Amino acid sequence: MNGTALPLQNLIEQFERLPGVGKKSAQRLAFYVLNLPKEKALLFADAIVEAKEKIHKCESCQNLTDSKLCPICENQSRDRSIICVVENPRDILAFERTKEYGGLYHVLHGLISPMDGVGPEQLYIKELLLRIGSGEVLEVIMATNPTVEGEATAAYLAKLLKPLEIKVTRLAYGIPVGGNLEYADEITLYRALEGRTII
């Protein structure tokens, strides 16, 4: 026995299961929740249960939503000729923060990773092909992360889309603003040179 009450230990263990939360952070979160007034703690618990019960995948793009279609797919002012393919719904939030992209999205919910037992069948690739089959889509932007799995997934999708005569593009990658060339790896430098533009 470590001197911690069982309900508190259970709460700490649940927080530890969250990605990126270690033992000390889990303890801090558990004590924070315990110090909340009961009404606020119940609101917090209710928000978790409500999200779990009501959130599901958009019928069109596989983004998370609480209705048939997500707000982006429902928005008729979005450019329906462009689909940006992302790994997960968090990536959509990142793009939307820029306020620069006006097209639609498609969420794969993962990347091809044979080492982890994830093949194309486990991703939402068939759904993407169905959307493209409508004839409305003119360009697909591959916005997977510049990792081995991200590159493999982008290459696999580009190969699938080639016979459909759709323009397939890849995000440019390179040196971040404020970055230092001496610390950049070879792939990043190569991508930076490849994606250079006229100034």
Side-chain angles (χ1 to χ4, degrees):
M1 187 77 180
N2 64 5
T4 305
L6 188 58
L8 176 55
Q9 188 59 42
N10 287 339
L11 185 58
I12 292 169
E13 287 172 8
Q14 291 308 312
F15 278 120
E16 267 188 279
R17 292 179 183 195
L18 298 174
V21 177
K23 192 162 198 68
K24 287 187 179 184
S25 294
Q27 289 172 353
R28 194 171 26 256
L29 290 168
F31 280 107
Y32 173 80
V33 169
L34 283 179
N35 287 323
L36 287 173
K38 186 174 182 178
E39 310 80 53
K40 288 189 176 181
L42 290 173
L43 284 173
F44 182 67
D46 289 344
I48 292 171
V49 171
E50 181 183 26
K52 190 64 185 159
E53 288 175 350
K54 293 185 178 177
I55 300 294
H56 58 273
K57 293 178 179 98
C58 171
E59 288 184 8
S60 180
C61 73
Q62 310 308 314
N63 189 12
L64 299 178
T65 185
D66 63 343
S67 56
K68 185 177 177 180
L69 295 175
C70 74
I72 294 169
C73 287
E74 280 184 340
N75 185 345
Q76 293 302 311
S77 67
R78 303 292 292 221
D79 184 349
R80 300 187 175 288
S81 69
I82 304 171
I83 293 179
C84 181
V85 177
V86 296
E87 178 185 348
N88 60 58
R90 291 186 308 269
D91 297 334
I92 292 177
L93 295 176
F95 273 101
E96 288 299 294
R97 278 195 307 268
T98 70
K99 298 185 183 344
E100 294 296 321
Y101 177 70
L104 299 177
Y105 296 95
H106 189 83
V107 184
L108 296 173
H109 288 278
L111 296 171
I112 295 170
S113 177
M115 296 289 286
D116 298 321
V118 180
E121 318 77 42
Q122 281 86 40
L123 306 178
Y124 287 86
I125 293 173
K126 284 182 268 177
E127 292 78 1
L128 174 63
L129 295 174
L130 284 171
R131 290 178 72 192
I132 292 169
S134 71
E136 200 174 12
V137 179
L138 303 175
E139 180 182 1
V140 174
I141 302 168
M142 296 297 163
T144 54
N145 287 315
T147 60
V148 172
E149 294 83 3
E151 294 294 331
T153 304
Y156 177 83
L157 289 173
K159 189 176 177 183
L160 277 181
L161 298 175
K162 191 171 185 171
L164 303 176
E165 296 181 3
I166 302 259
K167 181 180 179 184
V168 179
T169 57
R170 183 84 169 107
L171 287 184
Y173 295 102
I175 309 300
V177 174
N180 216 321
L181 288 177
E182 66 180 293
Y183 301 118
D185 61 90
E186 296 82 11
I187 295 171
T188 301
L189 286 171
Y190 172 74
R191 289 281 189 189
L193 282 169
E194 195 177 51
R196 67 190 186 278
T197 56
I198 297 170
I199 56 171

